[in-house]
């Protein structure tokens, strides 16, 4: 996924952003105007991500605050939120783990932090947790004051595997287009793409040893398979499995503090990037409205995301997070990346794109990159998307099985983003005068030239 999907598209987006120096909406005027809907789709996906991703950071912040204690609160079964099924098999001898047993860490997460027992499911989410609401308000406050001035002041199964690579590297989110647009024109984005991707993937590979060591130890202690310990994948691994492992380490309070602090800083970094991609796109598309009002626009974006995340702060909010995680981002991002690759390589033209890269770097991309961009990467993405459509996930979280209508809702949420692409194509063809052939030709012909810096002189690339 990394070699034939993530890294080639990572390189492609860095080169596009650095050459054309625009965000994910206005850049299409210089590439292939009829595909501007890709930019709007990216913005909608970013809103969905902000609606649930920051909630996970709010959970991490709650854990961080709770970690400042002599004894971590998820190490004992003697708290007000614990049930009779709570089984502390670490600190007590002769304890047998049964089918109905729950660990102190699991009950702290589900019954104290999420309070998910107060929700009956997606049809009855319950009220909003005021503790989590305060945590997410602090998270959004940090986000606002980190990006209100812009990048220059704040610093720079198969579906799951592909989604992880795309989440990790960032193609398809508009992030790379936005950040690369601030690069110098002759910056070596080829080297950036290779070094960043390799370091990123090696880090993930090494992290895997830590993850499966912990899971294997938990499985051994419970006398269960690893698949049972990790049955609630995603955030549950962090807030149950890892929290439990940390709680039984020497100096557990110290390690809990630095672990959850790390989660928050990693999460904030991803949020900065995602929102900056949207902000750069809108400011580039509507400079006459927002160019001198960036702080107010960023504030409106942050407030909108805060209100969008309220549904995930309810007692059943974890069910919503799982639904958005499965349907609103992964498949939608892969679809956007597929159409983006087709638009650049098949309509803008692989020869023109490679010529742009040569103009920046002094050398043209080799045959491997050309083949990946034109054929291999799109085919990989198409295969993964078709696999997802033919075998939709059977959603389950804790003991809750998602109803059938929620799967339909998930497909509607996922479709709501990339539907912008055919909608904009239709709109573009309708408003453009001429015959259908003339409309198509005009739609795939760049509207505005790209200014190429040459010392203090700017030349227009034709």
């Amino acid at each position: 996924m990394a070699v034939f999907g993530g890294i080639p598209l990572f390189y492609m987006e860095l080169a596009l952003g650095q050459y054309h120096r625009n965000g994910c909406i206005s850049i299409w005027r210089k590439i292939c105007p009829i595909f501007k809907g890709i930019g709007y789709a990216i913005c909608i996906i970013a809103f969905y991500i902000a609606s649930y991703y920051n909630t996970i950071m709010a959970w991490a912040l709650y854990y961080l605050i709770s970690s400042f204690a002599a004894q971590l609160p998820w190490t004992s079964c003697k708290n007000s939120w614990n049930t009779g099924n709570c089984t502390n098999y670490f600190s007590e001898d002769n304890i047998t783990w049964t089918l109905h047993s729950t660990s102190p860490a699991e009950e702290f997460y589900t019954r104290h932090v999420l309070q998910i027992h107060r929700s009956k499911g997606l049809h009855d989410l319950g009220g909003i947790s005021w503790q989590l609401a305060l945590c997410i308000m602090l998270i959004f406050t940090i986000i606002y004051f980190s990006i209100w001035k812009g990048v220059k002041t704040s610093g720079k199964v198969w579906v799951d595997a592909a989604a992880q690579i795309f989440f990790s590297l960032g193609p398809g989110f508009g992030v790379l287009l936005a950040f690369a647009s601030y690069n110098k024109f002759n910056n070596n984005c080829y080297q950036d793409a290779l070094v960043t991707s390799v370091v990123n993937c090696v880090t993930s590979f090494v992290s895997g040893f830590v993850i499966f060591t912990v899971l294997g130890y938990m499985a051994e202690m419970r006398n269960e398979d690893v698949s049972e310990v990790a049955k609630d994948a995603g955030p549950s691994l962090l807030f149950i499995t890892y929290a439990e492992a940390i709680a039984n380490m020497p100096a557990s309070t110290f390690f809990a503090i630095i672990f959850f602090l790390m989660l928050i800083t990693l999460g904030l970094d991803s949020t900065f990037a995602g929102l900056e991609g949207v902000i750069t796109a809108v400011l580039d598309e509507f400079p006459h409205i927002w160019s001198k009002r960036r702080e107010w626009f960023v504030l409106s974006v942050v407030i909108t995301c805060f209100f969008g995340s309220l549904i995930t702060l309810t007692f059943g909010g974890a069910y919503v997070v799982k639904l958005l995680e499965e349907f609103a981002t992964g498949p939608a991002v892969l679809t956007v990346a597929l159409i983006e690759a087709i638009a650049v390589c098949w309509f803008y033209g692989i020869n023109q794109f490679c010529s742009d890269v040569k103009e920046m770097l002094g050398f043209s991309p080799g045959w491997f990159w050309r083949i990946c961009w034109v054929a291999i990467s799109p085919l990989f993405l198409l295969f993964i998307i078709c696999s997802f459509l033919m075998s939709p996930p059977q959603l389950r979280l804790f003991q809750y099985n998602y109803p059938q209508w929620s799967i339909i809702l998930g497909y509607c949420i996922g479709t709501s983003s990339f539907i912008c692409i055919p909608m904009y194509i239709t709109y573009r063809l309708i408003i453009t005068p001429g015959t259908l052939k003339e409309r198509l030709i005009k739609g795939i012909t760049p509207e505005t030239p790209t200014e190429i810096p040459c010392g203090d002189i700017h030349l227009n690339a034709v």
Side-chain angles (χ1 to χ4, degrees):
M1 291 303 166
V3 172
F4 295 108
I7 297 176
L9 296 177
F10 184 91
Y11 179 19
M12 183 185 79
E13 281 205 3
L14 281 184
L16 284 173
Q18 185 171 305
Y19 185 85
H20 297 288
R21 315 185 77 78
N22 281 105
C24 63
I25 298 177
S26 55
I27 193 172
W28 293 100
R29 292 203 302 261
K30 302 178 179 180
I31 300 174
C32 196
I34 203 169
F35 286 102
K36 188 186 282 189
I38 291 175
Y40 293 111
I42 288 172
C43 292
I44 294 175
I45 293 172
F47 172 73
Y48 286 140
I49 293 173
S51 296
Y52 79 86
Y53 194 81
N54 294 300
T55 299
I56 299 175
M57 284 194 288
W59 298 344
L61 179 58
Y62 194 98
Y63 267 81
L64 177 63
I65 296 171
S66 301
S67 298
F68 287 92
Q71 181 183 15
L72 296 176
W74 57 87
T75 60
S76 168
C77 289
K78 300 176 182 178
N79 303 289
S80 59
W81 57 80
N82 291 126
T83 67
N85 292 326
C86 185
T87 305
N88 191 353
Y89 56 84
F90 276 100
S91 60
E92 301 174 20
D93 296 328
N94 301 321
I95 296 295
T96 303
W97 186 268
T98 68
L99 183 64
H100 302 290
S101 295
T102 54
S103 66
E106 182 178 347
E107 293 201 348
F108 177 81
Y109 176 55
T110 59
R111 296 182 61 83
H112 183 62
V113 179
L114 302 182
Q115 302 182 60
I116 204 164
H117 61 287
R118 300 175 66 178
S119 166
K120 297 178 182 179
L122 280 176
H123 65 284
D124 183 13
L125 296 174
I128 292 176
S129 169
W130 65 267
Q131 298 98 324
L132 295 180
L134 290 177
C135 287
I136 207 169
M137 283 181 67
L138 179 57
I139 292 292
F140 274 115
T141 302
I142 296 171
I143 290 170
Y144 174 72
F145 285 107
S146 299
I147 63 175
W148 68 323
K149 290 293 185 182
V151 172
K152 293 182 179 179
T153 57
S154 65
K156 308 290 195 196
V157 300
W158 289 108
V159 175
D160 292 337
Q164 173 60 31
I165 287 294
F166 275 69
F167 262 97
S168 188
L169 294 179
F173 289 95
V175 176
L176 303 177
L177 293 173
F179 279 14
S181 69
Y182 293 99
N183 285 344
K184 293 181 179 179
F185 182 75
N186 299 115
N187 174 66
N188 193 342
C189 58
Y190 174 68
Q191 178 179 294
D192 292 346
L194 290 183
V195 172
T196 304
S197 301
V198 169
V199 171
N200 183 285
C201 293
V202 169
T203 302
S204 299
F205 180 73
V206 173
S207 300
F209 289 101
V210 181
I211 293 167
F212 285 100
T213 300
V214 172
L215 290 177
Y217 180 67
M218 296 295 176
E220 180 70 18
M221 292 295 292
R222 298 182 181 187
N223 195 27
E224 291 182 336
D225 291 336
V226 172
S227 59
E228 281 297 308
V229 178
K231 61 184 177 182
D232 294 317
S236 297
L237 284 178
L238 296 175
F239 298 114
I240 297 178
T241 309
Y242 269 89
E244 193 170 325
I246 289 170
N248 292 278
M249 293 170 61
S252 58
T253 297
F254 169 74
F255 283 111
I257 291 171
I258 62 172
F259 177 73
F260 290 110
L261 189 61
M262 177 198 71
L263 284 185
I264 293 169
T265 54
L266 285 174
L268 287 172
D269 180 65
S270 298
T271 300
F272 297 161
L275 291 183
E276 184 59 45
V278 175
I279 291 164
T280 299
V282 175
L283 293 183
D284 285 349
E285 181 67 10
F286 307 104
H288 54 290
I289 300 176
W290 296 112
S291 61
K292 295 182 180 180
R293 303 182 183 93
R294 179 188 169 94
E295 292 86 351
W296 289 106
F297 177 68
V298 173
L299 180 62
S300 66
V301 169
V302 169
I303 291 174
T304 302
C305 292
F306 170 76
F307 282 109
S309 66
L310 287 181
I311 192 172
T312 64
L313 302 176
T314 57
F315 300 137
Y319 299 136
V320 181
V321 169
K322 178 78 171 178
L323 187 71
L324 292 175
E325 190 178 31
E326 290 289 341
F327 287 98
T329 52
V333 167
L334 298 181
T335 304
V336 168
L338 169 63
I339 299 174
E340 182 182 287
I342 291 173
V344 172
C345 299
W346 295 3
F347 288 86
Y348 182 63
I350 187 65
N351 292 331
Q352 180 63 54
F353 175 62
C354 291
S355 175
D356 295 344
V357 174
K358 185 176 182 180
E359 195 170 358
M360 288 191 298
L361 308 184
F363 59 89
S364 184
W367 62 267
F368 170 78
W369 302 107
R370 290 172 180 256
I371 294 174
C372 281
W373 288 329
V374 171
I376 297 179
S377 295
L379 286 175
F380 257 61
L381 293 173
L382 184 62
F383 170 75
I384 297 162
I385 293 165
C386 291
S387 299
F388 176 82
L389 293 175
M390 290 187 293
S391 303
Q394 299 298 316
L395 295 189
R396 177 183 171 89
L397 183 63
F398 307 126
Q399 303 302 318
Y400 177 70
N401 290 308
Y402 282 67
Q404 188 61 38
W405 63 262
S406 68
I407 307 299
I408 298 172
L409 175 63
Y411 277 118
C412 292
I413 293 173
T415 307
S416 65
S417 56
F418 62 80
I419 197 68
C420 293
I421 301 172
M423 285 177 64
Y424 187 84
I425 291 174
T426 304
Y427 164 76
R428 181 85 188 192
L429 291 175
I430 291 174
I431 66 168
T432 304
T435 64
L436 180 60
K437 182 179 179 180
E438 291 171 341
R439 296 176 186 183
L440 287 171
I441 292 174
K442 192 170 183 180
I444 63 175
T445 303
E447 292 178 351
T448 56
T450 296
E451 292 188 346
I452 306 303
C454 183
D456 292 330
I457 303 173
H458 287 73
L459 304 177
N460 287 337
V462 180

